[in-house]
Amino acid sequence: MGNNKTDAKELAKQLLWDRRNGAVRVSPEDMSKAQKFNEGYKAFLNAAKTERESVTFAVEQAEKSGFVPFDPQASYRPGDKVYYNNRGKSICLAVIGKKGTKAGVRIVAAHIDNPRIDLKPIPLYEQNELALLKTHYYGGVKKYQWAAIPLAMHGKIVRRDGTEITLDVGEKPGDPQFTITDILPHLGKDQMQKKLGEAFTGEDLNILAGSLPLDGAEGDSLYKLNVMRILHEQYGVVEEDLISAEIEFVPAFNAVDIGFDHSMVGAYGHDDRVCAYPALEAICRCKEPEYTMMTVLADKEEIGSVGNTGLASEFLNYFVADLAAMEGEEARHVWGKSNCLSADVTAAFDPTYASAYEAGNSCFLNHGVGLAKYTGSRGKGGSNDCSAEFLGWVLRVLDGHEVLWQIGELGKVDQGGGGTVALDISRLNADVVDIGVPVLSMHAPFEVVSKLDVYMAYKAFKAYFMAD
Ligand code: MN
Ligand code: MN
């Protein structure tokens, strides 16, 4: 018999998966690189709060790294870098590989739209001497979380004469900000008796936009008119111009470190800019790869990847088809040999809400980039369910490049669920697996991630782009 305890320890090391915290498993170099990488990430978060701003940021970064706009009539050589800007709301970036598209392409796909508060087509009204804006929320939000926080206005107005205005109000010092009001607790009796999901309705998400009437005037709608006067003075717009506008209200606060140890980042819209930024950084640093490598930053994921800038559209398929055609290949043959990391966030285990998770199959902060073999809900409904072969290959690649990774489900079986762009890309006959950064308070106006996990997402995408 003798030393059973030591044997068990030794055997566990050989046979059991290492589930210790990343802080004790990664090198001090990686810990400090994670700090540095997240400074760049925070700058991106503050510079790009919407899909349009994320594409603008991506184009700028890409051009600095030698990417040029894609020309379907041109021909490209290995190492060439091209991007396709789809309507300023989604973007494909590709580095041409030595093996050509006939060997298949490799894609990291993330999304750059976030849950937010959009304006209705006819938003501006006044009531009881306040000017307010009617809204229609975008994506899966817990509505009560969006009241009583500062909001900034981003978006695009196309005037009747065709000229365009890009809006960004509430981000610079001295800018006005906006807010959705809530009832004070002293008078909240009726609201407090309602269920959480019913206490705040979509029609209650009205944005406070002004409180003064038009100066020195008499007549109707003077509060509304005063706001319109200011908008006309500042942007040259009339009420009718708002009808076609895309105006998004997002939390006005900036990204900050969270925790005494500065180990986390709190910000609006980690989902899914926390995967988009590492994916962009990885493709910008990708040089003369064997396979053609791509990063796709897509719009509309939060509402089902719909529309011509979402990944349910054919824009990615057509882009790959154009690359294939240059080499005399058929897109469908290319897709059959292609694979993709569907880079989207996953839920991080939250001890305060432990009952929603199965701890043994959850992702934890500081355990690295989080994989999900399948998403969906209620019996894997609506999931991609990646194959053992492809997942096995991905894990070999991550292990081979010292990427700290973990794997988990979104929550308990039958607790709920979610979807990603994995389905849209698997439909093209590529192998796909979900991988991304675990998030606390996902879809809240202020979400939290671990810096180490963000850095490991970057390392994972880089490893994927370098793999044989
Ligand atoms: Mn997402
Ligand atoms: Mn989401």
Side-chain angles (χ1 to χ4, degrees), residues 111 271-272 301-302 344-345:
H111 69 89
D271 177 9
D272 184 33
E301 193 279 340
E302 294 296 355
D344 205 345
V345 298

Side-chain angles (χ1 to χ4, degrees), residues 32 36 42 56 205 217 240 324 342 390 443 452:
S32 68
K36 196 162 169 247
K42 283 185 284 182
T56 302
L205 296 174
E240 207 176 315
S342 164
F390 181 56
H443 280 209
L452 181 61

